[in-house]
Amino acid sequence: MANTFQRARSEEQRAVRRKAILDTTAAMLGEMPVAQVSLNELSRRVGLAKSNVLRYFESREAVLLELLGTASQELLEHLDTALPEAVDADAPVTGRADRLAAVMTDAFAERPVLCDLISAQAAVLERNVSTEVAAQYKRSSIAHVFALAQRVRTHVPELDERDAVRFVAAALMVVTAAWPHAHPSPAVLAVYESDPELAVLRLDFATVLRESLEVLLSGLLARAAGRTEPGAGAQEPARTRGTLFVQRPSGRAQ
């Protein structure tokens, strides 16, 4: 049964409303993909008129971006435990890199809501928000990228910060692309099941992600090793446009 709220008259009451909206949206994402989450259904479930929901979040997309930030932080907290347990600090770098790729793949694959939100971020979620909400989300996103890069470097210190950030940014791009391709529409899924020749196009998300992360790490490590060889040229200058390099923000990522 939907909740029925009285008008919020204090900051504490407003915080309760916001939490109820976020919790209700999170529950909906457990039942349906991002594309099917509507403001009308959210309003009905949370027990508020749509206009009242918009008092707390400016749009459906603003709600989903906040949930994406929360889910990203939860991923980091999971990796704080999972990576030290899985990656042997005394193993050769190739072994550590492969274990890192495997653990990150499992972490994403076990979080379908996070992957769905990531895949919708640029194409959908950032298209109906104000400059203020977009800036707030981007600051949070950059902090999460650098925080994840820091965890990567803890287990693969052969990568410098710039290459670790490149790896994380590329990993997120792979998730963005691989998730919808691995979860096609009912019509495409029916085609795959009925025609073996076309079924070869069907992707397994975990396999694609793990293999991509392994290749990314191998390439970055090879380039890093090449830069340290005698006679190697100077390291290329950092560029902030047209590459996967992200400039560190003024505040430190946590």
Side-chain angles (χ1 to χ4, degrees), residues 105-120:
T105 295
D106 289 345
F108 279 110
E110 292 166 1
R111 290 164 174 76
V113 171
L114 172 61
C115 294
D116 198 16
L117 287 167
I118 290 172
S119 71

PDB file of all heavy atoms in Angstrom, residues 105-120:
ATOM      1  N   THR A 105      34.793  -7.453 -12.546  1.00  0.00           N
ATOM      2  CA  THR A 105      33.720  -7.998 -13.381  1.00  0.00           C
ATOM      3  C   THR A 105      32.622  -8.587 -12.516  1.00  0.00           C
ATOM      4  O   THR A 105      31.425  -8.321 -12.734  1.00  0.00           O
ATOM      5  CB  THR A 105      34.278  -9.072 -14.322  1.00  0.00           C
ATOM      6  OG1 THR A 105      35.192  -8.464 -15.236  1.00  0.00           O
ATOM      7  CG2 THR A 105      33.161  -9.745 -15.106  1.00  0.00           C
ATOM      8  N   ASP A 106      32.998  -9.390 -11.545  1.00  0.00           N
ATOM      9  CA  ASP A 106      31.990  -9.990 -10.657  1.00  0.00           C
ATOM     10  C   ASP A 106      31.206  -8.912  -9.922  1.00  0.00           C
ATOM     11  O   ASP A 106      29.981  -9.020  -9.763  1.00  0.00           O
ATOM     12  CB  ASP A 106      32.662 -10.919  -9.647  1.00  0.00           C
ATOM     13  CG  ASP A 106      33.197 -12.193 -10.276  1.00  0.00           C
ATOM     14  OD1 ASP A 106      32.808 -12.500 -11.417  1.00  0.00           O
ATOM     15  OD2 ASP A 106      34.014 -12.874  -9.626  1.00  0.00           O
ATOM     16  N   ALA A 107      31.904  -7.868  -9.479  1.00  0.00           N
ATOM     17  CA  ALA A 107      31.240  -6.804  -8.722  1.00  0.00           C
ATOM     18  C   ALA A 107      30.181  -6.098  -9.573  1.00  0.00           C
ATOM     19  O   ALA A 107      29.074  -5.808  -9.091  1.00  0.00           O
ATOM     20  CB  ALA A 107      32.273  -5.803  -8.215  1.00  0.00           C
ATOM     21  N   PHE A 108      30.510  -5.817 -10.829  1.00  0.00           N
ATOM     22  CA  PHE A 108      29.527  -5.190 -11.713  1.00  0.00           C
ATOM     23  C   PHE A 108      28.404  -6.160 -12.071  1.00  0.00           C
ATOM     24  O   PHE A 108      27.222  -5.787 -12.037  1.00  0.00           O
ATOM     25  CB  PHE A 108      30.205  -4.684 -12.989  1.00  0.00           C
ATOM     26  CG  PHE A 108      30.888  -3.357 -12.834  1.00  0.00           C
ATOM     27  CD1 PHE A 108      32.273  -3.256 -12.848  1.00  0.00           C
ATOM     28  CD2 PHE A 108      30.152  -2.194 -12.679  1.00  0.00           C
ATOM     29  CE1 PHE A 108      32.911  -2.035 -12.704  1.00  0.00           C
ATOM     30  CE2 PHE A 108      30.777  -0.952 -12.539  1.00  0.00           C
ATOM     31  CZ  PHE A 108      32.163  -0.881 -12.540  1.00  0.00           C
ATOM     32  N   ALA A 109      28.752  -7.385 -12.424  1.00  0.00           N
ATOM     33  CA  ALA A 109      27.745  -8.362 -12.851  1.00  0.00           C
ATOM     34  C   ALA A 109      26.734  -8.655 -11.750  1.00  0.00           C
ATOM     35  O   ALA A 109      25.565  -8.958 -12.029  1.00  0.00           O
ATOM     36  CB  ALA A 109      28.420  -9.648 -13.310  1.00  0.00           C
ATOM     37  N   GLU A 110      27.174  -8.580 -10.500  1.00  0.00           N
ATOM     38  CA  GLU A 110      26.277  -8.823  -9.368  1.00  0.00           C
ATOM     39  C   GLU A 110      25.407  -7.615  -9.043  1.00  0.00           C
ATOM     40  O   GLU A 110      24.566  -7.694  -8.140  1.00  0.00           O
ATOM     41  CB  GLU A 110      27.110  -9.185  -8.131  1.00  0.00           C
ATOM     42  CG  GLU A 110      27.804 -10.539  -8.245  1.00  0.00           C
ATOM     43  CD  GLU A 110      28.887 -10.730  -7.192  1.00  0.00           C
ATOM     44  OE1 GLU A 110      29.084  -9.793  -6.361  1.00  0.00           O
ATOM     45  OE2 GLU A 110      29.534 -11.788  -7.203  1.00  0.00           O
ATOM     46  N   ARG A 111      25.583  -6.524  -9.780  1.00  0.00           N
ATOM     47  CA  ARG A 111      24.840  -5.287  -9.529  1.00  0.00           C
ATOM     48  C   ARG A 111      24.157  -4.818 -10.814  1.00  0.00           C
ATOM     49  O   ARG A 111      24.550  -3.825 -11.418  1.00  0.00           O
ATOM     50  CB  ARG A 111      25.793  -4.209  -8.983  1.00  0.00           C
ATOM     51  CG  ARG A 111      26.262  -4.512  -7.583  1.00  0.00           C
ATOM     52  CD  ARG A 111      27.473  -3.690  -7.170  1.00  0.00           C
ATOM     53  NE  ARG A 111      27.785  -3.942  -5.761  1.00  0.00           N
ATOM     54  CZ  ARG A 111      28.380  -5.064  -5.335  1.00  0.00           C
ATOM     55  NH1 ARG A 111      28.749  -6.008  -6.205  1.00  0.00           N
ATOM     56  NH2 ARG A 111      28.604  -5.244  -4.044  1.00  0.00           N
ATOM     57  N   PRO A 112      23.114  -5.527 -11.225  1.00  0.00           N
ATOM     58  CA  PRO A 112      22.441  -5.163 -12.482  1.00  0.00           C
ATOM     59  C   PRO A 112      21.845  -3.766 -12.471  1.00  0.00           C
ATOM     60  O   PRO A 112      21.820  -3.093 -13.511  1.00  0.00           O
ATOM     61  CB  PRO A 112      21.355  -6.238 -12.643  1.00  0.00           C
ATOM     62  CG  PRO A 112      21.165  -6.812 -11.264  1.00  0.00           C
ATOM     63  CD  PRO A 112      22.498  -6.721 -10.606  1.00  0.00           C
ATOM     64  N   VAL A 113      21.360  -3.311 -11.325  1.00  0.00           N
ATOM     65  CA  VAL A 113      20.787  -1.962 -11.276  1.00  0.00           C
ATOM     66  C   VAL A 113      21.872  -0.922 -11.541  1.00  0.00           C
ATOM     67  O   VAL A 113      21.663   0.024 -12.304  1.00  0.00           O
ATOM     68  CB  VAL A 113      20.107  -1.709  -9.916  1.00  0.00           C
ATOM     69  CG1 VAL A 113      19.713  -0.234  -9.781  1.00  0.00           C
ATOM     70  CG2 VAL A 113      18.865  -2.600  -9.773  1.00  0.00           C
ATOM     71  N   LEU A 114      23.027  -1.092 -10.928  1.00  0.00           N
ATOM     72  CA  LEU A 114      24.143  -0.177 -11.172  1.00  0.00           C
ATOM     73  C   LEU A 114      24.505  -0.159 -12.654  1.00  0.00           C
ATOM     74  O   LEU A 114      24.685   0.912 -13.248  1.00  0.00           O
ATOM     75  CB  LEU A 114      25.354  -0.579 -10.335  1.00  0.00           C
ATOM     76  CG  LEU A 114      26.663   0.173 -10.616  1.00  0.00           C
ATOM     77  CD1 LEU A 114      26.506   1.662 -10.360  1.00  0.00           C
ATOM     78  CD2 LEU A 114      27.801  -0.401  -9.772  1.00  0.00           C
ATOM     79  N   CYS A 115      24.624  -1.330 -13.257  1.00  0.00           N
ATOM     80  CA  CYS A 115      24.999  -1.404 -14.674  1.00  0.00           C
ATOM     81  C   CYS A 115      23.947  -0.750 -15.559  1.00  0.00           C
ATOM     82  O   CYS A 115      24.277  -0.058 -16.532  1.00  0.00           O
ATOM     83  CB  CYS A 115      25.201  -2.863 -15.082  1.00  0.00           C
ATOM     84  SG  CYS A 115      26.600  -3.657 -14.272  1.00  0.00           S
ATOM     85  N   ASP A 116      22.673  -0.954 -15.234  1.00  0.00           N
ATOM     86  CA  ASP A 116      21.594  -0.346 -16.018  1.00  0.00           C
ATOM     87  C   ASP A 116      21.646   1.173 -15.895  1.00  0.00           C
ATOM     88  O   ASP A 116      21.482   1.903 -16.886  1.00  0.00           O
ATOM     89  CB  ASP A 116      20.249  -0.881 -15.521  1.00  0.00           C
ATOM     90  CG  ASP A 116      19.124  -0.659 -16.521  1.00  0.00           C
ATOM     91  OD1 ASP A 116      19.412  -0.381 -17.707  1.00  0.00           O
ATOM     92  OD2 ASP A 116      17.950  -0.775 -16.118  1.00  0.00           O
ATOM     93  N   LEU A 117      21.900   1.674 -14.693  1.00  0.00           N
ATOM     94  CA  LEU A 117      22.005   3.120 -14.496  1.00  0.00           C
ATOM     95  C   LEU A 117      23.210   3.687 -15.244  1.00  0.00           C
ATOM     96  O   LEU A 117      23.121   4.749 -15.866  1.00  0.00           O
ATOM     97  CB  LEU A 117      22.106   3.433 -13.006  1.00  0.00           C
ATOM     98  CG  LEU A 117      20.825   3.260 -12.191  1.00  0.00           C
ATOM     99  CD1 LEU A 117      21.132   3.294 -10.697  1.00  0.00           C
ATOM    100  CD2 LEU A 117      19.798   4.326 -12.543  1.00  0.00           C
ATOM    101  N   ILE A 118      24.348   2.992 -15.183  1.00  0.00           N
ATOM    102  CA  ILE A 118      25.538   3.456 -15.903  1.00  0.00           C
ATOM    103  C   ILE A 118      25.261   3.518 -17.396  1.00  0.00           C
ATOM    104  O   ILE A 118      25.636   4.480 -18.081  1.00  0.00           O
ATOM    105  CB  ILE A 118      26.737   2.530 -15.614  1.00  0.00           C
ATOM    106  CG1 ILE A 118      27.219   2.707 -14.174  1.00  0.00           C
ATOM    107  CG2 ILE A 118      27.895   2.819 -16.583  1.00  0.00           C
ATOM    108  CD1 ILE A 118      28.269   1.708 -13.755  1.00  0.00           C
ATOM    109  N   SER A 119      24.592   2.496 -17.926  1.00  0.00           N
ATOM    110  CA  SER A 119      24.338   2.448 -19.371  1.00  0.00           C
ATOM    111  C   SER A 119      23.383   3.555 -19.814  1.00  0.00           C
ATOM    112  O   SER A 119      23.395   3.966 -20.979  1.00  0.00           O
ATOM    113  CB  SER A 119      23.781   1.078 -19.771  1.00  0.00           C
ATOM    114  OG  SER A 119      22.455   0.905 -19.301  1.00  0.00           O
ATOM    115  N   ALA A 120      22.554   4.044 -18.886  1.00  0.00           N
ATOM    116  CA  ALA A 120      21.581   5.092 -19.224  1.00  0.00           C
ATOM    117  C   ALA A 120      22.083   6.487 -18.888  1.00  0.00           C
ATOM    118  O   ALA A 120      21.450   7.483 -19.252  1.00  0.00           O
ATOM    119  CB  ALA A 120      20.266   4.838 -18.478  1.00  0.00           C
TER     120      ALA A 120
END
